[in-house]
C-alpha cells in the first residue's frame, strides 16, 4: 500500500509541475511486481481462416456455398434487375437529345499540343455517326418484342431490354438482344416509357416513345 501511495504522490507532483511550468526532478524506481502477469496469446488469422476453410470443405459446406453463388450469378445474367420506373407508352412523345459536352480542363496530346481548351464545347456527332438505332423495349412484353423485331434487324438497330431475359429471347428468336444495365442509357436519354427509339438526326439524337395499338404490332 505504501508503494502505491508513493507512486500516486509522485504522479501528482509531476502533473502539477507540468501544468504550472515548474521543473520537477523525477527518479525511476522499481516497485516490483504487484500482480500476476500473463503472456499475450494472439492466434494467427491466416491459420484460423485456413482451418475453417478445411472444415467447410470436409463437411461439404464450401461446395454448397460455391454452388449457391454460381446459381445466383447465372440467374443475374439470365434475368438482370429490371430498370425501375419505365412503363408502357400511353401517349406518343418525341424530343431531341443534344450530346454536346463542355470540356472542364485543357486536353493535350502526348507532345503537349492543345486538343481542346477548357470551356470548349464538343459534340461527338461532329466526329462519329451513329448508324444503328437504339430500340428500348420491355422484354417481358410479347407485343413489344414483336413490334421491335418486325421493324428492325441486327444491322440497323440494337434492341435493348429494360426488363426480361435477353438470353432467353436470343435462344428462342435466334438474334441478338441487349440489356440496359442499371438503366444508364434510358436515364441518359430520359426515357420513361417503351417502346422507345433513339436515332441520330444531324447533330442531335432524336428520341421517340411509341404507343402500341391493340390487335396489331404497332
Amino acid at each position: 500500500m505504501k508503494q502505491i501511495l508513493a507512486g500516486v504522490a509522485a504522479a501528482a507532483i509531476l502533473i502539477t509541475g507540468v501544468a504550472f511550468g515548474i521543473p520537477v526532478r523525477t527518479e525511476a524506481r522499481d516497485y516490483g511486481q504487484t500482480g500476476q502477469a500473463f503472456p499475450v496469446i494472439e492466434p494467427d488469422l491466416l491459420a484460423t481462416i485456413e482451418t475453417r476453410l478445411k472444415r467447410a470443405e470436409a463437411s461439404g459446406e464450401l461446395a454448397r456455398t460455391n454452388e449457391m453463388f454460381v446459381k445466383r450469378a447465372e440467374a443475374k445474367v439470365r434475368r438482370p434487375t429490371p430498370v425501375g420506373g419505365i412503363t408502357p407508352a400511353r401517349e406518343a412523345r418525341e424530343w431531341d437529345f443534344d450530346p454536346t459536352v463542355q470540356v472542364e480542363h485543357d486536353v493535350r496530346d502526348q507532345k503537349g499540343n492543345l486538343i481542346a481548351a477548357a470551356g470548349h464545347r464538343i459534340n461527338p456527332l461532329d466526329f462519329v455517326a451513329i448508324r444503328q438505332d437504339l430500340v428500348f423495349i420491355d422484354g417481358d412484353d410479347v407485343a413489344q418484342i414483336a413490334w421491335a423485331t418486325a421493324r428492325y434487324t441486327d444491322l440497323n438497330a440494337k434492341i435493348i431490354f429494360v426488363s426480361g431475359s435477353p438470353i432467353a429471347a436470343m435462344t428462342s428468336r435466334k438474334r441478338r438482344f441487349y440489356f440496359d444495365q442499371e438503366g444508364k442509357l434510358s436515364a441518359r436519354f430520359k426515357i420513361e416509357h417503351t417502346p422507345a427509339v433513339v436515332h441520330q438526326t444531324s447533330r442531335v439524337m432524336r428520341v421517340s416513345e411509341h404507343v402500341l395499338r391493340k390487335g396489331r404490332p404497332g
Side-chain angles (χ1 to χ4, degrees), residues 121-168:
R121 294 176 62 81
I122 296 178
N123 187 333
L125 298 180
D126 291 335
F127 308 96
V128 297
I130 309 299
R131 303 189 184 282
Q132 287 181 300
D133 290 353
L134 305 179
V135 182
F136 295 81
I137 63 171
D138 181 348
D140 286 326
D141 189 329
V142 177
Q144 291 193 26
I145 295 180
W147 179 90
T149 55
R151 284 162 175 72
Y152 299 96
T153 67
D154 284 335
L155 293 178
N156 60 20
K158 293 183 182 296
I159 299 179
I160 304 170
F161 285 14
V162 297
S163 180
S165 174
I167 291 181

Side-chain angles (χ1 to χ4, degrees), residues 72-137:
R72 285 183 180 179
E74 182 180 355
K76 201 73 171 178
V77 171
R78 289 187 174 277
R79 177 171 282 274
T81 303
V83 179
I86 296 183
T87 59
R90 296 288 180 259
E91 180 181 350
R93 295 198 307 157
E94 188 173 81
W95 64 94
D96 290 336
F97 171 79
D98 185 355
T100 300
V101 296
Q102 182 170 311
V103 180
E104 296 183 359
H105 307 285
D106 288 350
V107 179
R108 299 180 181 275
D109 61 16
Q110 295 179 346
K111 296 182 179 180
N113 299 317
L114 183 65
I115 298 176
H120 184 67
R121 294 176 62 81
I122 296 178
N123 187 333
L125 298 180
D126 291 335
F127 308 96
V128 297
I130 309 299
R131 303 189 184 282
Q132 287 181 300
D133 290 353
L134 305 179
V135 182
F136 295 81
I137 63 171

Side-chain angles (χ1 to χ4, degrees), residues 6 13 22 31 34-35 39 44 47 53 62 66-67 69 81 110 112 115 122 124 157 161 165 168 174 189-190 193 196:
I13 293 172
I22 303 173
Y31 294 102
T34 58
D44 185 276
L53 285 175
L62 184 60
N66 287 337
E67 184 179 1
F69 282 133
T81 303
Q110 295 179 346
I115 298 176
I122 296 178
F161 285 14
S165 174
K174 309 302 181 185
F189 293 116
K190 302 186 185 304
H193 310 285

Side-chain angles (χ1 to χ4, degrees), residues 42-79:
E42 188 172 319
D44 185 276
L45 180 60
L46 292 179
T48 301
I49 294 175
E50 184 178 0
T51 300
R52 291 182 179 178
L53 285 175
K54 287 181 178 179
R55 289 177 182 173
E57 185 176 10
S59 66
E61 181 182 354
L62 184 60
R64 290 191 296 271
T65 301
N66 287 337
E67 184 179 1
M68 178 186 67
F69 282 133
V70 169
K71 287 183 177 179
R72 285 183 180 179
E74 182 180 355
K76 201 73 171 178
V77 171
R78 289 187 174 277
R79 177 171 282 274

